[in-house]
Amino acid sequence: MTSKSEIESLLFLMDDPDPFVQESVQNRLQELGEQAVPLLDQYKSTVKGADAREKVNDVIHKLTFSTLESDFIEVLEGGLKTRRSLEEAVLTIARFGNPTLRISEYQKKLDHFVQMVEPQIKYKLDEKRKLKRLLTFIFEDLNFQGDAENYHAPQNCFLDQVIDRRKGLPISLSLIVMFMARRLELPFFGINMPIHFMLNYVGDKEELLIDPYDNGAIVTYDQCYFFLKKNNVEPRPEHFQMATNLDIVLRCLRNLIHSYERKKEMERVEDLSRLLDIAEMYK
């Protein structure tokens, strides 16, 4: 057993210049393992200053990463064959940024969003009006939007933080749409276009390209070609194929690696690269 006072003492001693003291602190934290996490998380909520909180976050991350890695492998072993399994994989990755995350809590938040809009969609509207109502609900009523000010921040990649902040990258905003659409049985899919992930709606009567970063605007293939060429990418047919669930998981991990590289947090990059290597084995 441990106590709050022991946790505080260990965190204080982490800055001791004596290597023996530092090693002793690390050994004790490893000995405590994940049983120390609730107290560390409680302590984190009381400290002031971003640096102090980040210090506690690093300790929690080191104590929990092996379990996250094991759980991630378990999800992959189960097969990413359904949208539900993709949702579990993406929320498992979100534990990298929030080790105490309860996945079921955020699944319930998505359930709640759907319960809010379902009566307006389920039975009364035709195909195109259903998709437009869902997009309006997500991007106007709930106010999900792209984070243009801090595009590369890791919080734009972690689905729990995207749900809480209502801001994200094209792929994370697409996942919000796709996971809500799953619950409503609407045929939204991801398009793994370079630089800018897109949505695809494939209905009985029409197929549409949708830009999740532009409030769910419907776009044309010509606009996408122009965008790619403007960014020195020669458009190819495979750029507009539906993304597999594994494609999406791999892209989420690569986005996170890029985010932490920009922050020069190389230990985090190394851990994420381990997850990426594991995921690539399932190609």
Side-chain angles (χ1 to χ4, degrees):
M1 291 292 290
T2 186
S3 64
K4 185 178 178 182
S5 59
E6 182 184 13
I7 292 295
E8 291 176 1
S9 298
L10 289 169
L11 291 171
F12 176 77
L13 290 170
M14 283 181 70
D15 293 327
D16 194 290
D18 187 333
F20 175 77
V21 173
Q22 291 183 20
E23 184 180 356
S24 298
V25 169
Q26 293 295 336
N27 289 340
R28 176 55 178 159
L29 286 169
Q30 289 300 321
E31 180 184 324
L32 290 170
E34 292 196 29
Q35 66 171 308
V37 170
L39 283 172
L40 284 163
D41 199 46
Q42 181 182 347
Y43 176 74
K44 182 179 71 173
S45 66
T46 66
V47 297
K48 296 180 180 179
D51 289 344
R53 286 193 295 273
E54 192 58 35
K55 177 181 173 182
V56 182
N57 274 334
D58 284 341
V59 174
I60 294 174
H61 173 77
K62 287 174 182 175
L63 294 177
T64 59
F65 178 72
S66 62
T67 299
L68 186 158
E69 185 178 22
S70 297
D71 291 347
F72 184 61
I73 292 171
E74 187 176 337
V75 173
L76 294 173
E77 282 290 324
L80 294 177
K81 296 176 182 177
T82 66
R83 195 59 53 78
R84 184 186 293 274
S85 62
L86 174 62
E87 187 175 307
E88 185 177 358
V90 171
L91 284 168
T92 300
I93 292 171
R95 285 168 45 197
F96 191 91
N98 179 8
T100 58
L101 167 69
R102 294 180 183 272
I103 287 177
S104 60
E105 177 184 340
Y106 283 86
Q107 290 172 325
K108 288 176 182 175
K109 288 188 179 188
L110 290 168
D111 290 342
H112 177 65
F113 290 155
V114 169
Q115 288 163 7
M116 291 169 66
V117 74
E118 187 173 24
Q120 305 170 41
I121 289 180
K122 199 69 174 177
Y123 305 109
K124 298 178 181 178
L125 304 179
D126 61 28
E127 183 178 275
K128 191 165 187 178
R129 290 169 70 196
K130 281 183 180 182
L131 82 91
K132 285 189 173 180
R133 182 65 197 105
L134 178 60
L135 294 174
T136 298
F137 176 71
I138 292 171
F139 294 109
E140 294 185 19
D141 299 351
L142 295 179
N143 199 32
F144 279 93
Q145 59 188 284
D147 189 352
E149 293 182 5
N150 202 10
Y151 186 89
H152 296 287
Q155 57 260 39
N156 289 324
C157 304
F158 295 125
L159 200 70
D160 63 317
Q161 296 184 50
V162 173
I163 290 172
D164 288 340
R165 296 171 63 247
R166 309 288 171 93
K167 290 183 179 181
L169 299 176
I171 191 169
S172 52
L173 295 171
S174 293
L175 289 171
I176 297 296
V177 176
M178 290 163 65
F179 294 155
M180 289 179 64
R182 172 183 75 79
R183 290 161 169 81
L184 293 163
E185 299 179 345
L186 294 177
F188 282 89
F189 302 91
I191 297 291
N192 206 16
M193 192 175 83
I195 304 173
H196 194 100
F197 197 88
M198 300 290 285
L199 277 167
N200 190 203
Y201 178 87
V202 184
D204 294 331
K205 297 181 179 179
E206 57 188 324
E207 181 175 336
L208 298 168
L209 269 179
I210 297 159
D211 186 352
Y213 204 72
D214 187 19
N215 297 320
I218 294 171
V219 298
T220 66
Y221 284 98
D222 284 345
Q223 287 173 301
C224 293
Y225 292 155
F226 177 78
F227 169 82
L228 290 175
K229 288 188 173 184
K230 184 180 176 182
N231 286 277
N232 301 313
V233 176
E234 187 61 32
R236 298 200 301 268
E238 56 265 35
H239 293 160
F240 301 96
Q241 293 176 353
M242 286 185 192
T244 67
N245 289 341
L246 183 57
D247 288 335
I248 291 171
V249 167
L250 293 171
R251 186 155 177 167
C252 287
L253 288 169
R254 290 181 183 122
N255 285 341
L256 276 168
I257 289 169
H258 179 65
S259 293
Y260 282 107
E261 283 176 339
R262 289 176 65 90
K263 287 164 64 71
K264 302 188 185 311
E265 295 185 24
M266 302 317 292
E267 287 187 14
R268 297 296 178 100
V269 169
E270 184 178 334
D271 286 343
L272 284 163
S273 296
R274 283 176 62 181
L275 296 183
L276 179 63
D277 288 344
I278 290 166
E280 286 182 330
M281 291 170 58
Y282 290 83
K283 280 184 178 179

